[in-house]
Amino acid sequence: MSTTSTPGTQPAGKRTVILGQVFSLMAAVAYGSTAVLVRRGVTAVGSPLVGATISLVAGTLMLGLLGLRRPEKDLGQKKRAIGFLVISGILSGLGVLANFFAMSLAPVVIVSPLEAVSPVFALLWSSIFLKQLEKVTPRVIVGTLLVVAGVVLITLGRNL
Amino acid sequence: MLGPLLALAAAFCWGTSSIFVRLGLQHIKTNIGVFISIAASLALVVLLFVSVDLKSLSAITPAVILWFSLIGFLNYVIGRQCNYLGVKNIGVARATCIYSSNPLFAMILAVLLTGETVNLVIVLGAVAIIGGLLLVITGR
């Protein structure tokens, strides 16, 4: 298993690592399934923004109902953490908007491969800004580059 | 030129976003973190929708709402929750690499559900992704 570091200096336990990998794979499957559904939905509606808005509203409502049982306790004393997560949400939203406009200005065969490099940015920032939290090994770098190359090839292959 | 630049900007935003997720989730429960980040994304997307695409409101039917609510459940309640749990447990670099393999799963589903055909370039892409995943998952 990969050795990674938890917020402190202790390496993450084996169970934590396996759980993290399983959750990440589950995210990949969920995102992959979503892509198929989005393609069908947007074709039917004709507007990516309608779909993005409805799915975000629905997701926010469902998460609010499931997760926020005691909002004053959950959100009260963690302003710094909330700030980081708001920035993260804004960046994700900006990504969605940039993607929306990019798709309207350039063909998907150009836009999608360029967007596939996002893990490289994550890798880069992680090795610069999160040195104390996690260790980026050559194996992770090569693995990420292979995944990015694979995504680019799949995108190109689907548009041949 | 603007289209490709915006595509790179999207990649930059998504890649950078994970760093803030990692920092935020050190002090807050994952489900609360997902809720906060999605609420922030929602504010931006609604703003754009109201600004440039309000005429599409007429395209919204109950069936459309149901369809995209299912997408919202899969993408945000399941996908982003798992994504954040991955980041929290194994860090940004590894988790991002793993969940970025999602086009492989999209491709498999497209083949199984919609009969999309596979060509050599796609097979090479799938092999590269699986190789990358194995490197990250089995690495010491």
Side-chain angles (χ1 to χ4, degrees):
Chain A
M1 290 297 130
S2 313
T3 49
T4 172
S5 300
T6 47
T9 52
Q10 297 297 315
K14 192 175 178 182
R15 187 171 173 272
T16 305
V17 172
I18 292 173
L19 270 178
Q21 291 173 340
V22 169
F23 280 127
S24 301
L25 274 173
M26 283 170 67
V29 174
Y31 289 152
S33 317
T34 305
V36 177
L37 297 176
V38 166
R39 189 178 278 204
R40 282 194 171 187
V42 170
T43 306
V45 177
S47 163
L49 259 183
V50 168
T53 307
I54 296 173
S55 58
L56 269 167
V57 169
T60 308
L61 286 175
M62 284 185 258
L63 279 164
L65 289 171
L66 292 171
L68 288 182
R69 295 188 192 282
R70 289 168 297 174
E72 68 290 343
K73 189 183 173 194
D74 289 330
L75 301 174
Q77 297 171 337
K78 290 146 184 168
K79 290 197 172 94
R80 192 175 158 84
I82 292 170
F84 284 136
L85 290 159
V86 167
I87 294 171
S88 152
I90 289 172
L91 282 169
S92 290
L94 285 173
V96 171
L97 300 187
N99 169 55
F100 171 75
F101 285 113
M103 288 286 190
S104 66
L105 292 169
V108 70
V109 71
I110 290 174
V111 172
S112 293
L114 287 171
E115 288 177 349
V117 302
S118 68
V120 176
F121 284 111
L123 192 69
L124 184 65
W125 302 149
S126 165
S127 62
I128 295 172
F129 299 114
L130 300 178
K131 273 182 189 163
Q132 293 183 325
L133 292 176
E134 56 186 80
K135 190 175 161 193
V136 176
T137 62
R139 207 174 170 107
V140 172
I141 296 171
V142 175
T144 302
L145 294 176
L146 272 174
V147 168
V148 169
V151 171
V152 170
L153 284 173
I154 285 184
T155 309
L156 295 175
R158 293 181 83 175
N159 289 282
L160 280 178
Chain B
M1 194 60 199
L2 188 58
L5 279 176
L6 283 167
L8 272 179
F12 171 84
C13 288
W14 290 328
T16 310
S17 158
S18 306
I19 302 297
F20 289 97
V21 170
R22 174 72 152 138
L23 293 170
L25 288 183
Q26 285 185 95
H27 308 290
I28 211 162
K29 283 195 281 185
T30 307
N31 57 338
I32 307 295
V34 177
F35 176 79
I36 294 167
S37 80
I38 288 181
S41 300
L42 174 66
L44 263 180
V45 172
V46 165
L47 194 68
L48 181 75
F49 177 64
V50 171
S51 310
V52 305
D53 204 21
L54 210 51
K55 63 181 186 308
S56 297
L57 217 54
S58 59
I60 300 176
T61 62
V64 168
I65 292 174
L66 269 178
W67 187 261
F68 282 103
S69 296
L70 171 67
I71 291 171
F73 176 75
L74 268 177
N75 198 44
Y76 300 114
V77 181
I78 306 288
R80 200 176 285 198
Q81 186 98 9
C82 288
N83 168 351
Y84 281 24
L85 282 166
V87 168
K88 191 170 188 168
N89 283 310
I90 55 172
V92 172
R94 287 168 180 78
T96 307
C97 174
I98 296 172
Y99 71 71
S100 296
S101 66
N102 69 79
L104 174 66
F105 298 100
M107 184 62 220
I108 292 169
L109 282 172
V111 169
L112 293 176
L113 300 179
T114 66
E116 199 167 309
T117 51
V118 175
N119 56 41
L120 181 63
V121 180
I122 290 174
V123 172
L124 286 175
V127 170
I129 289 177
I130 292 166
L133 285 177
L134 285 175
L135 269 181
V136 171
I137 288 173
T138 61
R140 287 187 180 276

